Amino acid sequence: MPIQPIRLFGDPVLLTPSNEVVDFDKELRVLVADLIETMHDAPGAGLAAPQIGVPLRVFVWDIDDALGHLINPTLDLSDDMQEGEEGCLSFPDLSYSTPRSMRVVAKGWNMFGEPVNIEGSELLARALQHETDHLNGVLFIDRLSPENRKLAMKEIRQSQWFGLAQDSGTEPIVKLSPHNTFGIGL
Ligand code: CO
């Protein structure tokens, strides 16, 4: 399956809540394969369908050598929190300390329509929260402290890539190379 262009911040699809998957068909399995291939190519630790322009509630991750995907997720979040550097493939070269719940129980379906239950802590918990946010049109910069968000927006406005999404019309966005995501790209 082909590697897809990754949409950059500024593309409206990243701010749009995605739709529930209804048909667990071959098309869905192709989408999951495309997401995995595109994530590995970036490389990144997670990728959500809207990041390749598909507004469906699907994401994939590859954390600690464990590859996974989840469809129509719902999350139970722990009250205890973690702080750590977080990045996103839709924000090249940007990484900020981002508060997240330490543990997550994610419920959803696999691409064959079977119910699955994913329990994660630390980095996996962070990825599950980050990717589920993508499905709701929420981005990691929305989770930053007000001070860090201000710094992030300044860095974004000064970045080489800012404006590419808006200027591109309906053309696919091609990610910049090299594609350093510092900590983790999700
Ligand atoms: Co992301």
Side-chain angles (χ1 to χ4, degrees), residues 1-155:
M1 289 305 119
I3 292 161
Q4 300 294 320
I6 294 176
R7 304 302 180 97
L8 299 176
F9 175 65
D11 190 315
V13 74
L14 295 175
L15 302 179
T16 307
S18 290
N19 301 306
E20 295 272 322
V21 169
V22 177
D23 297 318
F24 290 76
D25 53 9
K26 187 177 173 215
E27 209 177 324
L28 176 65
R29 295 192 283 280
V30 169
L31 172 61
V32 170
D34 282 357
L35 284 167
I36 289 170
E37 195 164 343
T38 304
M39 170 180 68
H40 282 154
D41 175 66
L47 190 65
Q51 289 182 279
I52 61 168
V54 178
L56 287 175
R57 300 184 74 80
V58 180
F59 62 74
V60 300
W61 67 88
D62 192 344
I63 307 272
D64 300 330
D65 292 326
L67 186 61
H69 71 276
L70 195 59
I71 291 150
N72 297 345
T74 57
L75 301 188
D76 283 328
L77 304 177
S78 69
D79 290 333
D80 52 322
M81 304 292 289
Q82 56 173 323
E83 275 285 344
E85 289 291 304
E86 192 169 310
C88 178
L89 294 174
S90 297
F91 295 79
D93 297 345
L94 206 75
S95 132
Y96 279 87
S97 182
T98 308
R100 295 288 185 182
S101 288
M102 178 59 92
R103 283 171 287 109
V104 169
V105 179
K107 292 189 173 110
W109 284 263
N110 67 17
M111 60 184 164
F112 305 105
E114 298 160 343
V116 290
N117 208 330
I118 311 283
E119 288 190 42
S121 64
E122 300 187 21
L123 188 52
L124 177 56
R126 179 176 293 281
L128 292 167
Q129 291 168 83
H130 180 111
E131 303 310 337
T132 301
D133 272 354
H134 271 303
L135 307 185
N136 295 324
V138 174
L139 301 169
F140 88 106
I141 56 168
D142 301 322
R143 300 294 187 183
L144 303 180
S145 67
E147 298 78 29
N148 276 348
R149 192 191 154 95
K150 209 174 283 179
L151 290 172
M153 286 309 299
K154 189 176 175 199
E155 201 180 330

